[in-house]
Amino acid sequence: MKLSYLWRGLPGHPLHPPLTDATIGTYTFATFAAFLDVTGISNGTAAHGWWIALLFGLFTTTFTALTGFIDWLSIESGTPLKRTATTHMITMLAATVFFGLAALFGHDDWKAGNVSAGEFILTVVGFGLLTLGGTFGGSIVYVHGMRVLNLIDEPAQKALSPLPHEEKEQAEG
């Protein structure tokens, strides 16, 4: 078994994409909770959930960004794929900065059980960048085909198995 499997994932089962699900889901919840508080639909509880979700999102971002960066390092320079991946990375880093600022400046709001307009705007801008960056990330897989094995006739049991086997390792190259 290759040592790179620890930080890149197995052939057909890369680490970065499933980590993005946790990060995007957490930031989506944070944005929704902030909206509930700002509009008055929920008071206090939504603000607490917003700030805790931002912190958890920043935590998961660490692993998501590291695995994405490791994948980015493997892309050939000067290619359309590298340009798309670089744009994805920059956009996602910018989103992280906005979510981080919202969490930093929102600590007092969290204690007071209230999301202020400034922190709400930071959260919404972060979410907009997250959505844009996710679109670029989707292009990396669905347009450029990065880390896609394309084993159409692979039996379901072998396709679902995370254990590497010869066909998957050859397809990954």
Side-chain angles (χ1 to χ4, degrees):
M1 192 172 287
K2 297 179 185 178
L3 190 57
S4 67
Y5 291 163
L6 293 175
W7 55 83
R8 292 196 73 223
L10 300 166
H13 303 275
L15 289 178
H16 182 67
L19 291 173
T20 65
D21 294 348
T23 303
I24 291 169
T26 301
Y27 286 138
T28 300
F29 173 78
T31 305
F32 183 66
F35 173 78
L36 291 176
D37 185 79
V38 168
T39 58
I41 294 171
S42 175
N43 293 320
T45 304
H48 291 133
W50 159 77
W51 195 74
I52 291 169
L54 286 177
L55 291 184
F56 186 73
L58 292 168
F59 173 76
T60 61
T61 295
T62 304
F63 301 103
T64 305
L66 283 174
T67 56
F69 182 68
I70 289 167
D71 283 347
W72 180 83
L73 289 173
S74 72
I75 302 170
E76 184 180 339
S77 295
T79 62
L81 172 58
K82 185 74 162 201
R83 285 189 290 279
T84 303
T86 301
T87 303
H88 166 66
M89 180 174 57
I90 291 168
T91 307
M92 296 310 259
L93 288 171
T96 301
V97 167
F98 278 92
F99 287 126
L101 290 171
L104 180 68
F105 296 132
H107 183 259
D108 290 340
D109 290 341
W110 170 70
K111 288 196 282 187
N114 183 46
V115 178
S116 70
E119 284 77 26
F120 178 66
I121 290 169
L122 289 170
T123 303
V124 170
V125 170
F127 184 74
L129 289 166
L130 179 79
T131 303
L132 181 62
T135 302
F136 294 131
S139 295
I140 292 167
V141 175
Y142 298 112
V143 175
H144 296 289
M146 183 173 176
R147 307 259 348 243
V148 174
L149 300 185
N150 201 24
L151 297 172
I152 296 169
D153 294 324
E154 185 78 359
Q157 186 175 7
K158 284 179 116 178
L160 293 172
S161 174
L163 299 176
H165 56 81
E166 187 177 346
E167 293 91 354
K168 284 184 177 181
E169 288 180 338
Q170 286 177 352
E172 187 167 64

